[in-house]
Amino acid sequence: MTAHAGNTEHTGDLGHPDNAAIEAAFRAEYGRAVAVLVRFLGDIDLAEEAVQDAFATALQKWPETGVPPSPAGWIITTARNRAIDRLRRESTREDRHAQAARLYAPDPPAEEGPVRDDRLRLIFTCCHPALAPQAQVALTLRLLGGLTTPQIARAFLVPEATMAQRLVRAKAKIRDARIPYRIPRGADLPDRVKGVLAVVYLIFNEGYGGREDLCAEALRLGRLLAELMPDEPEVIGLLALMLLVEARRPARFAPDGELITLSDQDRSRWDGALIAEGQSLVRRCLRRNQPGPYQIQAAINAVHSDAPTAAATDWGQILQLYDQLSALTPSPVVALNRAVAVAEVEGAGQALALVDALDLDGYPAFHAVRADLLRRLDRHTEAVRAYEAAIALTENPAERAYLARSRESLVRRAPG
Amino acid sequence: MKHYLLSVMQPVGEPPAPEVLEEIMHNLDVFHAELRAAGAWVFAGGLHGPETATVLRANDGDVLITDGPYTESKEYLGGICLIKAPDLDAALEWGRKATLATTLPIEVRPFMGEAED
């Protein structure tokens, strides 16, 4: 990731240690700086410009002066000064008057104050239900993650111009309809938290197929939310879920990029530190006894990560957790995942009957699960057809490679 | 403060039965009273149906007059309510009450500029 300013990218010399430090500061502090400046300026575009100006200045100055003791403080102060300079220059323009007046007010908001609340406010602003879900994700990645518009466009497989337009529209709606920059109050909070968690989990899932940077971004946002809302069990549940899934990343892909399914993974390659952290969070949120879908999915992944071998997995417990999840959030996809656990506890025949009753014809995992169950029941011809249906619907190359190899091995084994 | 327009999206067709309509009108009165009490009231009114509409079009310095609405569609603007609110969340809260009172979809849109307090 390179530091960037608006549409112009300032690509630093990555080999230079000072530039690496600036990159690190950019990653860590961009969202915080934008959040503080939005509060200070009351305008998202101005805040972004000011923060990008400040990072551009850092790229020039820090290699000579060294990285200051508090990079975030330096960036925020510099950005604020830049914004004041700019508004002063442009304050003859009618629409800048109000902003300039705010800045000259005798009691300007302190930048060292409740900085953490500013980021939380910005997440809730980005994830306001009056914005389209895709715009919520894009804005969150842009303003809190510091991702560039081309990066976000690539992640969501849309043309850059489309993504740029989506971001401009969302920011204009925040400004024109006056979407408030605040954490929702009391009664609204649980509803709004749901939207925020959904956005963070979407970003994580988008990265799950191989985009490590998006997973890292989602984890960072998840940690931020957990730090800011330690009393919301679903917030902790989502962080635990993402940590436990992320822990398996080193074992999830073969050297040639092919997907390796959970049962075939080399468990010694799982990240023990992430598993320990995830499991302790699962225990912490389950103690509150307010189960929610993220907590239960985290618990399911905790059971998987407890098993030293695939054969030693406690499928009985996993099935119970899926029963709980189905009761809480019934959906065909949950039923499909539950059927995988049923196959282990009661046998592939029972599971196949459940799967065949589901209306998920357009969903690749439906065909992949069916294929595996048919293979286990020695119905090879049908299994090959199911693998073919799954391959036709799958876009991710790592998953396609895995499905293709599974089908090949069946074609070789089954004469006709 | 800002002005927001709450538009009532009414389906084309028969109006609801009198006893249903009576309850809706009562709920609307309650909603309007609440707006006034909160100081958010500006103006509200129902509109006659699209068949009562007339469209004027400028045409080379002349004006063309046609009978009927500007566009034919399955829903039409059944009424409006103009309110004052500090931000979108406050406006959406009034919109929530309006959709519950009318049982119809409500579109919320900000006016340009600020509202005088």
Coordinates of all heavy atoms in Angstrom, one line a residue, chain A residues 40-97:
Chain A
F40 N -13.9 18.1 12.9 CA -13.4 19.5 13.0 C -14.0 20.4 11.8 O -14.3 21.5 12.0 CB -11.9 19.4 12.9 CG -11.2 20.7 13.0 CD1 -11.4 21.5 14.1 CD2 -10.3 21.1 12.0 CE1 -10.7 22.7 14.2 CE2 -9.7 22.3 12.1 CZ -9.8 23.1 13.2
L41 N -14.0 19.8 10.6 CA -14.4 20.5 9.5 C -15.9 20.4 9.1 O -16.4 21.2 8.3 CB -13.6 20.1 8.3 CG -12.1 20.3 8.4 CD1 -11.3 19.6 7.3 CD2 -11.7 21.8 8.3
G42 N -16.5 19.3 9.5 CA -17.9 19.1 9.2 C -18.1 18.7 7.7 O -19.2 18.9 7.1
D43 N -17.0 18.3 7.0 CA -17.1 18.0 5.6 C -16.1 16.9 5.3 O -14.9 17.0 5.5 CB -16.8 19.3 4.8 CG -16.9 19.1 3.3 OD1 -16.3 18.1 2.7 OD2 -17.6 19.9 2.7
I44 N -16.7 15.8 4.7 CA -15.8 14.6 4.5 C -14.8 14.9 3.4 O -13.6 14.5 3.6 CB -16.7 13.4 4.1 CG1 -17.5 12.9 5.3 CG2 -15.9 12.3 3.5 CD1 -18.5 11.9 5.0
D45 N -15.2 15.5 2.3 CA -14.2 15.7 1.2 C -13.0 16.6 1.7 O -11.9 16.3 1.5 CB -14.9 16.4 0.0 CG -15.6 15.3 -0.8 OD1 -15.1 14.2 -0.9 OD2 -16.7 15.6 -1.3
L46 N -13.4 17.7 2.4 CA -12.3 18.6 2.9 C -11.4 17.8 3.9 O -10.2 18.0 3.9 CB -13.0 19.8 3.7 CG -13.4 21.0 2.9 CD1 -13.9 22.0 3.9 CD2 -12.2 21.5 2.1
A47 N -12.0 17.0 4.7 CA -11.2 16.2 5.7 C -10.2 15.3 5.0 O -9.1 15.2 5.3 CB -12.1 15.4 6.6
E48 N -10.7 14.6 4.0 CA -9.8 13.7 3.2 C -8.7 14.5 2.5 O -7.5 14.1 2.6 CB -10.7 13.0 2.1 CG -11.3 11.7 2.6 CD -11.7 10.9 1.4 OE1 -12.6 11.3 0.6 OE2 -11.0 9.8 1.2
E49 N -9.0 15.6 1.9 CA -8.0 16.4 1.2 C -7.0 16.8 2.3 O -5.7 16.8 2.0 CB -8.6 17.7 0.6 CG -9.3 17.4 -0.7 CD -10.1 18.7 -1.2 OE1 -9.7 19.8 -0.8 OE2 -11.1 18.5 -1.8
A50 N -7.4 17.3 3.4 CA -6.5 17.8 4.4 C -5.5 16.7 4.9 O -4.3 16.9 5.0 CB -7.2 18.4 5.6
V51 N -6.1 15.5 5.1 CA -5.3 14.4 5.7 C -4.3 14.0 4.6 O -3.1 13.7 4.8 CB -6.2 13.3 6.1 CG1 -5.3 12.0 6.5 CG2 -7.0 13.7 7.4
Q52 N -4.8 13.9 3.3 CA -3.9 13.5 2.2 C -2.7 14.5 2.0 O -1.6 14.2 1.8 CB -4.7 13.3 1.0 CG -5.4 12.0 1.1 CD -6.6 11.9 0.1 OE1 -6.9 12.9 -0.6 NE2 -7.3 10.8 0.1
D53 N -3.1 15.8 2.2 CA -2.1 16.9 2.1 C -1.0 16.6 3.2 O 0.2 16.7 3.0 CB -2.7 18.3 2.5 CG -3.2 18.9 1.2 OD1 -3.1 18.3 0.1 OD2 -3.7 20.1 1.3
A54 N -1.5 16.3 4.4 CA -0.6 16.1 5.6 C 0.3 14.9 5.3 O 1.5 15.0 5.6 CB -1.4 15.9 6.8
F55 N -0.2 13.8 4.7 CA 0.7 12.7 4.4 C 1.7 13.0 3.3 O 2.8 12.5 3.4 CB -0.2 11.4 4.1 CG -0.6 10.7 5.3 CD1 -1.9 10.7 5.8 CD2 0.4 9.9 6.0 CE1 -2.2 10.0 6.9 CE2 0.0 9.2 7.1 CZ -1.3 9.2 7.6
A56 N 1.2 13.8 2.4 CA 2.2 14.2 1.3 C 3.3 15.0 1.9 O 4.5 14.9 1.5 CB 1.4 15.0 0.2
T57 N 3.0 15.9 2.9 CA 4.0 16.7 3.6 C 4.9 15.8 4.4 O 6.2 16.0 4.4 CB 3.3 17.7 4.5 OG1 2.4 18.4 3.8 CG2 4.4 18.7 5.1
A58 N 4.4 14.8 5.0 CA 5.2 13.8 5.8 C 6.2 13.1 4.9 O 7.3 12.9 5.3 CB 4.3 12.8 6.5
L59 N 5.7 12.8 3.7 CA 6.6 12.1 2.7 C 7.9 12.9 2.4 O 9.0 12.4 2.2 CB 5.9 11.7 1.4 CG 5.2 10.4 1.4 CD1 4.4 10.3 0.1 CD2 6.1 9.2 1.5
Q60 N 7.7 14.3 2.4 CA 8.8 15.2 2.1 C 9.6 15.4 3.4 O 10.9 15.4 3.3 CB 8.3 16.5 1.7 CG 7.7 16.5 0.3 CD 6.8 17.8 0.0 OE1 6.8 18.7 0.8 NE2 6.1 17.8 -1.1
K61 N 9.0 15.5 4.5 CA 9.7 16.0 5.7 C 10.3 14.9 6.6 O 11.4 15.0 7.1 CB 8.7 16.8 6.6 CG 8.4 18.2 6.0 CD 8.2 19.2 7.1 CE 8.2 20.6 6.5 NZ 7.4 21.6 7.3
W62 N 9.6 13.8 6.7 CA 10.0 12.8 7.7 C 11.4 12.2 7.3 O 12.1 11.8 8.2 CB 8.9 11.7 7.9 CG 7.7 12.3 8.7 CD1 7.6 13.5 9.1 CD2 6.6 11.5 9.1 NE1 6.4 13.7 9.7 CE2 5.7 12.4 9.8 CE3 6.2 10.2 9.0 CZ2 4.5 12.1 10.3 CZ3 5.0 9.8 9.5 CH2 4.1 10.7 10.2
P63 N 11.6 12.0 6.0 CA 13.0 11.4 5.7 C 14.1 12.3 6.2 O 15.2 11.7 6.5 CB 13.0 11.3 4.2 CG 11.5 11.2 3.8 CD 10.8 12.1 4.8
E64 N 13.9 13.6 6.4 CA 14.9 14.5 6.9 C 14.9 14.5 8.4 O 15.9 14.4 9.1 CB 14.8 15.9 6.4 CG 15.0 16.0 4.9 CD 14.3 17.3 4.3 OE1 14.2 18.3 5.1 OE2 13.9 17.3 3.1
T65 N 13.7 14.7 9.0 CA 13.5 15.0 10.4 C 13.3 13.7 11.2 O 13.4 13.8 12.4 CB 12.3 15.9 10.6 OG1 11.1 15.2 10.2 CG2 12.4 17.2 9.9
G66 N 13.0 12.6 10.5 CA 12.7 11.4 11.2 C 11.2 11.4 11.6 O 10.5 12.4 11.5
V67 N 10.7 10.2 11.9 CA 9.3 10.1 12.2 C 9.0 10.7 13.6 O 9.7 10.4 14.5 CB 8.8 8.6 12.2 CG1 7.4 8.5 12.7 CG2 9.0 8.0 10.8
P68 N 8.1 11.6 13.7 CA 7.8 12.3 15.0 C 7.3 11.2 16.1 O 6.8 10.2 15.7 CB 6.8 13.3 14.7 CG 6.1 12.9 13.5 CD 7.1 12.1 12.7
P69 N 7.5 11.6 17.3 CA 7.1 10.6 18.4 C 5.6 10.2 18.3 O 5.3 9.1 18.6 CB 7.4 11.4 19.7 CG 8.0 12.7 19.3 CD 8.1 12.8 17.9
S70 N 4.8 11.1 18.0 CA 3.4 10.8 17.8 C 2.9 11.1 16.4 O 2.5 12.2 16.0 CB 2.5 11.6 18.8 OG 1.1 11.5 18.3
P71 N 3.1 10.0 15.5 CA 2.8 10.3 14.0 C 1.3 10.8 13.9 O 1.1 11.7 13.1 CB 3.0 8.9 13.4 CG 3.8 8.1 14.3 CD 3.5 8.7 15.7
A72 N 0.4 10.2 14.6 CA -1.0 10.5 14.5 C -1.2 12.0 14.8 O -1.9 12.7 14.1 CB -1.9 9.6 15.3
G73 N -0.6 12.4 16.0 CA -0.8 13.8 16.4 C -0.2 14.8 15.4 O -0.8 15.8 15.1
W74 N 1.0 14.4 14.8 CA 1.6 15.2 13.8 C 0.7 15.4 12.6 O 0.5 16.5 12.1 CB 2.9 14.6 13.4 CG 3.8 15.5 12.6 CD1 4.9 16.3 13.1 CD2 3.8 15.7 11.2 NE1 5.4 17.0 12.0 CE2 4.8 16.6 10.8 CE3 3.0 15.2 10.2 CZ2 5.0 17.0 9.5 CZ3 3.2 15.6 8.8 CH2 4.2 16.5 8.5
I75 N 0.2 14.2 12.1 CA -0.7 14.2 10.9 C -1.9 15.1 11.2 O -2.3 15.9 10.3 CB -1.0 12.8 10.5 CG1 0.2 12.0 10.0 CG2 -2.2 12.7 9.5 CD1 0.7 12.5 8.6
I76 N -2.5 14.9 12.3 CA -3.8 15.6 12.6 C -3.6 17.1 12.7 O -4.3 17.9 12.1 CB -4.5 15.0 13.9 CG1 -5.0 13.6 13.6 CG2 -5.6 15.9 14.4 CD1 -5.4 12.8 14.8
T77 N -2.5 17.5 13.4 CA -2.2 18.9 13.6 C -1.9 19.5 12.2 O -2.4 20.6 11.9 CB -1.0 19.1 14.5 OG1 -1.3 18.4 15.8 CG2 -0.8 20.6 14.8
T78 N -1.0 18.8 11.4 CA -0.7 19.3 10.1 C -1.9 19.4 9.2 O -2.1 20.4 8.5 CB 0.4 18.4 9.5 OG1 1.5 18.3 10.4 CG2 0.9 19.0 8.1
A79 N -2.7 18.4 9.2 CA -3.9 18.4 8.4 C -4.8 19.6 8.8 O -5.4 20.3 7.9 CB -4.7 17.1 8.5
R80 N -4.9 19.8 10.1 CA -5.8 20.9 10.6 C -5.3 22.2 10.1 O -6.0 23.1 9.6 CB -5.9 20.8 12.1 CG -7.2 21.5 12.6 CD -7.2 21.6 14.1 NE -6.2 22.5 14.5 CZ -6.2 23.0 15.8 NH1 -7.2 22.7 16.6 NH2 -5.3 23.9 16.1
N81 N -3.9 22.4 10.2 CA -3.3 23.7 9.8 C -3.5 23.9 8.3 O -3.8 25.0 7.8 CB -1.9 23.7 10.2 CG -1.7 23.8 11.7 OD1 -2.6 24.2 12.4 ND2 -0.5 23.4 12.2
R82 N -3.3 22.8 7.5 CA -3.5 22.8 6.1 C -5.0 23.2 5.8 O -5.2 24.1 4.9 CB -3.2 21.5 5.4 CG -1.8 21.2 5.3 CD -1.1 22.3 4.6 NE 0.3 22.1 4.5 CZ 0.9 21.5 3.4 NH1 0.1 21.2 2.4 NH2 2.2 21.4 3.3
A83 N -5.9 22.7 6.5 CA -7.3 23.0 6.2 C -7.6 24.4 6.5 O -8.3 25.1 5.8 CB -8.2 22.0 7.0
I84 N -7.0 24.9 7.6 CA -7.3 26.3 8.0 C -6.7 27.2 6.9 O -7.3 28.2 6.5 CB -6.7 26.6 9.4 CG1 -7.5 25.9 10.5 CG2 -6.6 28.1 9.7 CD1 -6.9 26.0 11.9
D85 N -5.4 26.9 6.5 CA -4.8 27.7 5.4 C -5.7 27.8 4.2 O -5.9 28.8 3.6 CB -3.5 27.1 5.0 CG -2.4 27.4 6.1 OD1 -2.7 28.2 7.0 OD2 -1.3 26.8 6.0
R86 N -6.1 26.6 3.8 CA -6.9 26.5 2.6 C -8.2 27.3 2.7 O -8.6 28.0 1.8 CB -7.3 25.0 2.3 CG -8.0 24.8 1.0 CD -8.4 23.4 0.9 NE -7.2 22.5 0.7 CZ -7.0 21.7 -0.3 NH1 -7.9 21.6 -1.2 NH2 -5.9 21.0 -0.4
L87 N -8.9 27.1 3.9 CA -10.2 27.8 4.0 C -10.0 29.3 4.1 O -10.8 30.1 3.6 CB -10.9 27.3 5.3 CG -11.5 25.9 5.2 CD1 -12.0 25.4 6.5 CD2 -12.6 25.9 4.2
R88 N -8.8 29.7 4.7 CA -8.5 31.2 4.8 C -8.4 31.7 3.4 O -8.9 32.8 3.0 CB -7.2 31.3 5.6 CG -7.2 32.6 6.4 CD -5.9 32.6 7.2 NE -6.3 32.3 8.6 CZ -5.4 31.7 9.5 NH1 -4.2 31.4 9.1 NH2 -5.7 31.5 10.7
R89 N -7.6 31.0 2.5 CA -7.4 31.4 1.2 C -8.7 31.5 0.4 O -8.9 32.4 -0.4 CB -6.5 30.4 0.4 CG -5.0 30.7 0.6 CD -4.2 30.0 -0.5 NE -4.6 28.6 -0.7 CZ -4.1 27.6 0.0 NH1 -3.2 27.8 1.0 NH2 -4.4 26.3 -0.3
E90 N -9.6 30.6 0.7 CA -10.8 30.5 -0.1 C -12.0 31.1 0.6 O -13.2 31.0 0.1 CB -11.1 29.0 -0.4 CG -10.0 28.4 -1.2 CD -10.3 26.9 -1.5 OE1 -11.3 26.4 -1.1 OE2 -9.4 26.3 -2.1
S91 N -11.8 31.8 1.7 CA -12.9 32.2 2.6 C -13.8 33.3 1.9 O -14.8 33.6 2.4 CB -12.5 32.6 4.0 OG -11.7 33.7 3.9
T92 N -13.3 33.9 0.8 CA -14.1 34.8 0.1 C -15.3 34.1 -0.5 O -16.4 34.7 -0.7 CB -13.3 35.6 -1.0 OG1 -12.6 34.6 -1.7 CG2 -12.4 36.6 -0.4
R93 N -15.1 32.9 -0.8 CA -16.2 32.1 -1.4 C -17.3 31.9 -0.4 O -17.1 31.4 0.7 CB -15.7 30.8 -2.0 CG -15.1 31.0 -3.4 CD -14.3 29.7 -3.8 NE -15.2 28.6 -3.8 CZ -14.8 27.3 -4.0 NH1 -13.5 27.1 -4.2 NH2 -15.6 26.3 -3.9
E94 N -18.5 32.2 -0.9 CA -19.7 32.1 0.0 C -19.8 30.8 0.8 O -19.9 30.8 2.0 CB -21.0 32.3 -0.8 CG -22.2 32.5 -0.1 CD -22.2 33.7 0.8 OE1 -21.5 34.7 0.4 OE2 -22.9 33.8 1.8
D95 N -19.6 29.7 0.1 CA -19.9 28.4 0.7 C -18.8 28.0 1.8 O -18.9 27.1 2.5 CB -20.0 27.3 -0.3 CG -18.8 27.1 -1.2 OD1 -18.0 28.1 -1.3 OD2 -18.7 26.0 -1.8
R96 N -17.6 28.7 1.7 CA -16.6 28.4 2.7 C -16.7 29.3 4.0 O -16.1 29.1 5.0 CB -15.2 28.7 2.1 CG -14.9 27.9 0.9 CD -14.6 26.5 1.2 NE -14.1 25.8 0.0 CZ -14.1 24.5 -0.2 NH1 -14.6 23.7 0.8 NH2 -13.5 23.9 -1.2
H97 N -17.6 30.3 3.9 CA -17.7 31.2 5.0 C -18.1 30.5 6.3 O -17.4 30.7 7.4 CB -18.8 32.2 4.7 CG -18.3 33.6 4.3 ND1 -17.1 34.1 4.9 CD2 -18.7 34.5 3.4 CE1 -16.9 35.2 4.3 NE2 -17.8 35.5 3.4

